[in-house]
Amino acid sequence: MGEFAIGQGVSRFEDPRLLQGGGRYVDDVKLPGMAHGVVLRSQYAHAKIKSLDVSAAKQAPGVLAVLTAADFKAAGWGDLPIPGGLKRRDGSPMIKTRYPILAEDRTRWIGDPVAFVVAESVAQALDAAERITVDYEPLPAITSTEDAAKPGAVKVWEDAADNVGFVELVGNKEATDAAFAKADHVVKQKFVINRVTAATMEPRGAVGDYNIADGRYTLYTAIQRPHPTRTDFSKLMKVPESKIRIITGDTGGSFGMKSPVFNEMPLVLLASKLTGRPVKWISTRTEAFLSDAQARDNVTEAELALAKDGTMLGFRVKTIAAIGAYLQTAMPAFFLNAGSLAGTYKTPAIFVDITAVFTHTNPIRPYRGNGRPEAAFVIERMVDCAADELGIDPAELRRKNYVPPSAMPYKTPLTFTWDCGEFEKNMDLALAMADVKGFKARKAESARHGKLRGLGISNTIERAAAASLEGAEVRFDRDGTVMLFSGSNNQGQGHETTFKQIVCDRLGVDPHQAQYIQGDTDQVFFGEGTGGSRSATLAGSAFHLATEKVVTKGRAIAAHMLQVAPEDLRFEDGVFSTNKTNRTLSIKELAAAALEPKNLPKDMEPGLSATGVYNAPIANYPNGCHVCELEIDRETGEVQIVRYNVVDDVGTVINPLLLHGQIQGGIAQGVGQALMEDIHFDAEGQLVTASFQDYAMPHAHNLPDMEVEANSVPTKTNPLGVKGAGEAGCVGALPAVVNAVVDALSEFGVRHIEMPATSERIWRVIQGKA
């Protein structure tokens, strides 16, 4: 539909409301009689709870209730959900530990919830929490991922004597060993992929409201998957799903972190039931560092086998990955993305050995990319290491080993089957955009100013929109305006704009006359939610199916009203027309007419609306090339990214403005991890980066004006031809930035530098003190 059609750079419909203060976040929820909750958290990473006395807190001014683990046991509620289905190295089932809502006899990370105080105000709840007496017996803790499975390490759980929760083996070990046996070159490198946290603009929060009249619970919270979360609560609380309503308004960022059931959600629900009042909990920023799930944190040893001419023969990867103190739902999902380790290359044999270990730290869960950035980092750093060792240009080594378009569909040695892609073209376009031919002159100019200049590239592929379902509904009102109900939740991506474009382009409706609704399990009939770059593919295709049903029904009604055969009707730009008559019917006119039985064919239900549930049988594979160019100050080690160019293949581009925003936002998060972000625990388990004074975040001045272009190769795996874009920027940025840093430091003999490549770490390398 003209300026709002698919492919047009439509400005976000959400922005005027949000910029004018019209956003509705969790802390904006204010209900009559609402009380406030505060969580008492463990001050020890590992300790026995010898006794817990809350009597003084209950007598404090304004206090309405103090909840402990005993209250949940009395209520008959269960633990938080945990995943299953994986195995340990000996084939026995994975270690499935309890995940209690409140700690009972032991705490396992600093921030582990122990009690919940509910009072008339936050200040009163904080004061009362200080009156709780907990007699802890501090115990030794293990915080190092690399050391967790070593003999003699402190145990996090008695059932996991070696701290190993599960093991995943992917690929063909025998074929890989054989490839290494005949290799002319074997390149080895160890990588420590640092732990980070989401640090969302809106901290987590929850409001619980129990209605005694109908026995229903309403939870207001920022969550990515309202409907599946309602199912989790039904099992936890042992009540029918119909007794639970989840409402998600606007969400100030999530990136995977706000997807699971966190402890505070059942806390506010039970507190509301026990007090007869709505109860709100809002995290502070420091509390977020202590209680949010965190991400990444693994140690990898990689080996790449090559022939004399640089042909990749085999790839071996051994990874130790952190679980944290507790398993969260979807935490093992990063194993499903181990296929990204194959990169864009035709390496014939690959074997991956991943061991997941418990530590006395925050739980780990999927975070933007969910294993793909880590995998891309390993393979793309290994290619650069191999290029350095073999004396081959990194771009040319990649070019030699790319899977060509003619080989598609291509089954990799690691679970993925790519349906389409133009990897070499991505790189050629990106190198041209970045003016790589002029890099030598720019490097010389930097040297004259006391700067080191480096260039890094990455050409990565990832799996997006894994096989799953998603729902959508299109419903016309009497006046011809339309309502869009989405099962996929927005956390800043621009879903309202994207889905309005799809629907309004198909139906010829003015998007300003369309209302978008999401995140309410009472209003949206079905949904699986947001995550894994699935929304455009699954929710977009669900809207596509719903609009097809609307057009089909509308065509039948229009044919009946115009007294022509349905096949004689055209539907273009929102109007049904035919050369059999000079009459036409717009979709708006038809929506009103559809409510009059006289206008309908026999046995047709009145109204113009439809639901769509799209079943994605297979995933799609977005891919792209990033080129990062940066300068390093010789005297201070400070890094300044001066150019950043991206060519991405995300299939059909629905909205280039939103695509660019998604890619740029992902790059910013990748740059943050590569250069400055770092969650750090000391040996006793204390989090020493629990504020923005200690945990560095990227700012606008850390990033240049990033150029993003598309090399669109539409996929046939979904009706829109789209590939996921939400995580692509982060996947490509991690290796591109570090490759550029290493390139800049190459004159000092540097082959690798760990993340974050801070100014201090780089300065030490330059000074020979690393």
Side-chain angles (χ1 to χ4, degrees):
M1 184 183 170
E3 62 181 311
F4 301 111
I6 290 176
Q8 296 299 310
V10 178
S11 297
R12 297 187 356 150
F13 293 104
E14 301 95 324
D15 286 350
R17 173 177 62 84
L18 297 173
L19 292 172
Q20 295 175 60
R24 186 170 174 80
Y25 300 90
V26 179
D27 203 23
D28 292 317
V29 177
K30 294 177 173 59
L31 303 177
M34 189 166 66
H36 299 269
V38 165
V39 181
L40 178 70
R41 302 185 182 279
S42 173
Q43 66 197 76
Y44 297 101
H46 191 200
K48 288 182 180 177
I49 300 176
K50 299 174 69 175
S51 65
L52 173 63
D53 185 355
V54 299
S55 56
K58 288 183 176 181
Q59 302 303 314
V63 170
L64 303 171
V66 180
L67 276 61
T68 65
D71 294 290
F72 285 91
K73 185 175 181 180
W77 291 19
D79 295 333
L80 300 183
I82 59 172
L86 296 172
K87 297 183 181 297
R88 285 167 53 85
R89 194 170 296 277
D90 61 3
S92 60
M94 65 184 289
I95 302 296
K96 293 187 66 174
T97 66
R98 290 186 59 203
Y99 195 167
I101 297 168
L102 290 172
E104 296 175 4
D105 59 347
R106 188 172 293 211
T107 64
R108 288 182 168 84
W109 99 88
I110 290 179
D112 209 349
V114 175
F116 188 58
V117 181
V118 182
E120 298 285 355
S121 70
V122 174
Q124 288 174 323
L126 285 168
D127 288 343
E130 293 185 357
R131 300 189 182 193
I132 297 176
T133 302
V134 187
D135 185 6
Y136 291 107
E137 179 185 331
L139 299 170
I142 179 69
T143 60
S144 167
T145 299
E146 187 171 12
D147 296 340
K150 290 181 178 178
V154 175
K155 289 189 290 186
V156 180
W157 295 91
E158 291 299 319
D159 292 342
D162 54 4
N163 285 325
V164 174
F166 49 89
V167 171
E168 187 75 356
L169 307 177
V170 189
N172 187 320
K173 186 177 187 302
E174 291 73 20
T176 305
D177 289 344
F180 272 81
K182 67 179 183 181
D184 295 297
H185 301 280
V186 175
V187 180
K188 300 181 180 181
Q189 185 61 51
K190 177 180 176 181
F191 303 101
V192 178
I193 298 176
N194 52 319
R195 181 182 286 227
V196 293
T197 191
T200 55
M201 290 179 68
E202 178 199 21
R204 289 188 303 110
V207 178
D209 187 15
Y210 176 74
N211 187 333
I212 193 172
D214 60 10
R216 291 194 85 206
Y217 298 85
T218 299
L219 176 66
Y220 301 84
T221 191
I223 197 81
Q224 292 182 211
R225 307 174 71 233
H227 287 82
T229 300
R230 182 179 62 175
T231 302
D232 288 337
F233 271 106
S234 174
K235 297 174 182 178
L236 183 156
M237 299 161 64
K238 300 177 176 61
V239 298
E241 286 191 43
S242 60
K243 292 295 183 182
I244 304 167
R245 180 185 185 186
I246 296 180
I247 300 175
T248 296
D250 295 305
T251 300
S254 177
F255 317 114
M257 188 271 288
K258 293 177 183 173
S259 188
V261 176
F262 278 96
N263 312 63
E264 298 83 8
M265 299 175 187
L267 286 177
V268 296
L269 289 173
L270 183 57
S272 178
K273 183 176 184 179
L274 295 179
T275 62
R277 306 263 294 272
V279 177
K280 176 192 283 188
W281 168 81
I282 299 293
S283 172
T284 65
R285 182 58 65 184
T286 293
E287 191 175 16
F289 278 102
L290 294 172
S291 64
D292 289 353
Q294 295 170 353
R296 316 290 195 223
D297 194 354
N298 52 64
V299 180
T300 291
E301 294 180 356
E303 298 176 276
L304 183 62
L306 305 101
K308 285 182 179 179
D309 65 354
T311 300
M312 296 182 193
L313 304 175
F315 191 31
R316 278 196 295 236
V317 178
K318 187 174 183 180
T319 294
I320 302 175
I323 295 171
Y326 298 96
L327 274 166
Q328 283 198 340
T329 52
M331 181 272 162
F334 73 88
F335 288 108
L336 302 177
N337 291 316
S340 295
L341 281 163
T344 53
Y345 312 110
K346 51 182 184 283
T347 312
I350 308 177
F351 182 67
V352 182
D353 182 323
I354 308 175
T355 301
V357 295
F358 291 103
T359 55
H360 290 109
T361 61
N362 300 47
I364 291 289
R365 69 164 297 95
Y367 168 66
R368 200 168 193 169
N370 184 26
R372 282 101 90 189
E374 300 96 308
F377 180 80
V378 171
I379 180 59
E380 289 299 286
R381 284 292 301 120
M382 285 300 292
V383 173
D384 265 33
C385 289
D388 178 59
E389 193 163 314
L390 273 64
I392 301 175
D393 178 84
E396 294 310 309
L397 183 57
R398 288 173 169 84
R399 192 185 306 281
K400 184 175 187 63
N401 288 282
Y402 283 141
V403 174
S406 60
M408 303 294 180
Y410 183 83
K411 176 69 176 72
T412 77
L414 290 181
T415 72
F416 291 174
T417 299
W418 306 326
D419 63 303
C420 61
E422 298 175 345
F423 309 144
E424 186 173 6
K425 183 178 178 180
N426 288 343
M427 184 176 71
D428 287 340
L429 291 171
L431 294 178
M433 278 177 64
D435 184 25
V436 171
K437 291 182 179 179
F439 173 72
K440 186 176 181 180
R442 296 192 296 274
K443 183 178 179 71
E445 180 65 21
S446 294
R448 284 192 287 272
H449 293 88
K451 302 288 183 69
L452 304 166
R453 201 174 188 101
L455 183 80
I457 64 175
S458 68
N459 206 337
T460 53
I461 190 166
E462 55 167 319
R463 185 189 69 157
S468 184
L469 307 173
E470 193 51 85
E473 180 180 0
V474 176
R475 184 193 305 168
F476 278 88
D477 293 324
R478 292 178 183 271
D479 63 354
T481 56
V482 64
M483 300 187 74
L484 281 56
F485 298 84
S486 174
S488 183
N489 267 38
N490 173 60
Q491 301 108 47
Q493 300 96 324
H495 288 181
E496 178 178 345
T497 303
T498 300
F499 300 146
K500 280 184 177 180
Q501 280 186 259
I502 293 171
V503 172
C504 296
D505 187 30
R506 294 283 193 268
L507 299 181
V509 176
D510 185 339
H512 295 99
Q513 295 183 339
Q515 183 68 33
Y516 176 76
I517 295 173
Q518 66 159 30
D520 186 334
T521 56
D522 274 11
Q523 295 192 67
V524 179
F525 81 102
F526 173 82
E528 283 294 310
T530 300
S533 300
R534 71 194 301 272
S535 294
T537 299
L538 278 81
S541 295
F543 275 114
H544 169 79
L545 294 180
T547 58
E548 284 193 328
K549 292 179 182 179
V550 167
V551 171
T552 299
K553 184 174 184 179
R555 187 184 302 277
I557 298 171
H560 180 76
M561 293 177 67
L562 299 177
Q563 298 182 338
V564 297
E567 57 268 22
D568 290 332
L569 284 171
R570 296 187 304 274
F571 181 67
E572 296 176 356
D573 296 329
V575 177
F576 288 96
S577 63
T578 175
N579 55 14
K580 302 286 185 179
T581 174
N582 60 0
R583 292 182 60 197
T584 62
L585 281 171
S586 72
I587 194 79
K588 290 185 66 173
E589 293 170 327
L590 204 67
L595 293 168
E596 296 290 337
K598 66 180 181 180
N599 296 325
L600 303 178
K602 185 179 180 181
D603 298 328
M604 179 178 282
E605 292 184 357
L608 191 59
S609 64
T611 60
V613 176
Y614 178 68
N615 177 17
I618 56 176
N620 56 66
Y621 296 92
N623 55 88
C625 184
H626 291 222
V627 182
C628 174
E629 190 170 328
L630 51 77
E631 284 187 327
I632 297 176
D633 189 298
R634 286 178 177 269
E635 299 299 322
T636 66
E638 181 184 5
V639 175
Q640 184 65 49
I641 298 174
V642 293
R643 300 170 68 107
Y644 204 104
N645 301 90
V646 182
V647 172
D648 260 323
D649 168 17
V650 296
T652 301
V653 177
I654 295 174
N655 186 319
L657 284 180
L658 298 189
L659 170 63
H660 292 178
Q662 283 289 287
I663 300 299
Q664 290 167 348
I667 291 169
Q669 287 180 293
V671 168
Q673 178 165 8
L675 299 181
M676 61 197 74
E677 294 185 51
D678 193 35
I679 287 289
H680 181 69
F681 297 89
D682 67 16
E684 286 71 42
Q686 287 287 345
L687 177 60
V688 297
T689 51
S691 77
F692 288 144
Q693 289 181 311
D694 306 295
Y695 185 87
M697 292 281 285
H699 296 101
H701 69 262
N702 298 120
L703 297 160
D705 184 13
M706 296 169 274
E707 294 184 79
V708 180
E709 296 293 342
N711 174 31
S712 297
V713 183
T715 177
K716 296 180 180 179
T717 61
N718 63 80
L720 296 174
V722 300
K723 303 174 185 177
E727 293 156 300
C730 198
V731 173
L734 234 59
V737 173
V738 176
N739 281 345
V741 171
V742 173
D743 182 56
L745 297 174
S746 60
E747 66 180 73
F748 299 97
V750 174
R751 173 173 162 171
H752 178 65
I753 189 168
E754 300 292 3
M755 297 185 293
T758 61
S759 297
E760 180 188 358
R761 180 169 279 169
I762 291 172
W763 178 85
R764 289 184 180 279
V765 167
I766 294 172
Q767 300 299 317
K769 300 179 179 180

